[in-house]
Amino acid sequence: MPLSSRTRTLLTWLPATVLVLIIAGVVVASLAIQGSWWTQDRPAASDDQRASDGSSMLTDTGFDYVNVSGTFKMRIGEGALSASELGLAADGEKSADFRRPVRAVIAAGDELYVLDDVTALTAAGQGDVLASVTFVPDTANNWTGAIDYLRSLAPDFGWDAAQLDPLTEQLGEFNRTGTEDTFSAQIGPSEGTARITGDITFDRASGATLVTITFEPGA
């Protein structure tokens, strides 16, 4: 059926009309984002994002704030809030993967510990006490880089760096004679107001090395 002149005119204008609608939608969305909490440089934390003592809430909204502010804060041990006050189950766990590496600041007694470039964490509650927080730092994904990283933390975290000295030889023996999938070792724990432990795990299949740092209430 032949198209009328009016129909041909409408079809000619249709692509331009669609383009205008798309542009209008983008503009509206951009204006909405510009006014969004997410684009603020340092937005004020709400009660469900930060606890009464300044600690980060161990909830999805709390972790949202950490993603924006770039800092995770927590007090453990004496003077710390209960697990439930932090939004954590009295006997349970909560994990988070951050959208970018963040800084973790841990207070224990009069001590303050800082761990940079944290990509993930898992917090555990036991008997309504925050029993541990385990961090995954953004380290070199190889054995040598992981060992060097743990060695750099030893002075500040109260570890005896000599614990690391035999591990490379032990890994070599594992690769020659071992049959298991992974080789794991530990440095620490330190003793004090915080018990800090470093764990290193080598995966035979991929050659990747994972480091975790765990803080627990100390003496």
Side-chain angles (χ1 to χ4, degrees):
M1 177 183 295
L3 297 176
S4 67
S5 59
R6 182 180 179 183
T7 301
R8 285 195 296 270
T9 301
L10 288 174
L11 290 176
T12 301
W13 282 96
L14 181 59
T17 303
V18 172
L19 181 60
V20 169
L21 291 174
I22 292 174
I23 293 174
V26 170
V27 170
V28 171
S30 297
L31 291 174
I33 290 174
Q34 288 173 9
S36 169
W37 177 85
W38 281 96
T39 61
Q40 298 179 39
D41 184 30
R42 290 188 178 275
S46 59
D47 291 341
D48 61 350
Q49 293 170 334
R50 180 176 288 172
S52 58
D53 69 346
S55 293
S56 301
M57 291 294 286
L58 300 173
T59 60
D60 291 338
T61 53
F63 295 140
D64 281 344
Y65 186 77
V66 172
N67 278 313
V68 174
S69 67
T71 304
F72 173 86
K73 299 178 181 180
M74 186 57 58
R75 173 169 288 279
I76 62 173
E78 185 177 356
L81 297 177
S82 66
S84 55
E85 287 175 305
L86 294 167
L88 183 67
D91 294 286
E93 291 186 348
K94 181 69 174 180
S95 297
D97 291 305
F98 298 115
R99 295 184 177 91
R100 57 171 173 143
V102 303
R103 167 173 286 189
V105 180
I106 306 299
D110 295 330
E111 299 295 326
L112 201 66
Y113 302 93
V114 176
L115 188 63
D116 286 319
D117 298 327
V118 170
T119 60
L121 67 78
T122 297
Q126 184 174 359
D128 206 24
V129 172
L130 180 60
S132 66
V133 185
T134 298
F135 299 99
V136 180
D138 185 17
T139 62
N141 194 28
N142 60 73
W143 178 264
T144 300
I147 289 291
D148 290 344
Y149 176 77
L150 290 173
R151 197 180 299 278
S152 72
L153 296 179
D156 292 332
F157 286 6
W159 297 329
D160 179 4
Q163 294 179 70
L164 295 165
D165 294 341
L167 297 186
T168 297
E169 183 177 345
Q170 293 173 15
L171 175 66
E173 182 67 17
F174 165 80
N175 283 328
R176 287 190 298 271
T177 64
T179 58
E180 298 181 354
D181 295 330
T182 60
F183 171 81
S184 298
Q186 186 178 94
I187 179 171
S190 61
E191 297 297 335
T193 54
R195 286 171 50 90
I196 311 173
T197 305
D199 288 283
I200 182 170
T201 301
F202 172 82
D203 181 73
R204 183 196 297 273
S206 65
T209 303
L210 175 68
V211 170
T212 59
I213 312 293
T214 300
F215 287 79
E216 300 171 292

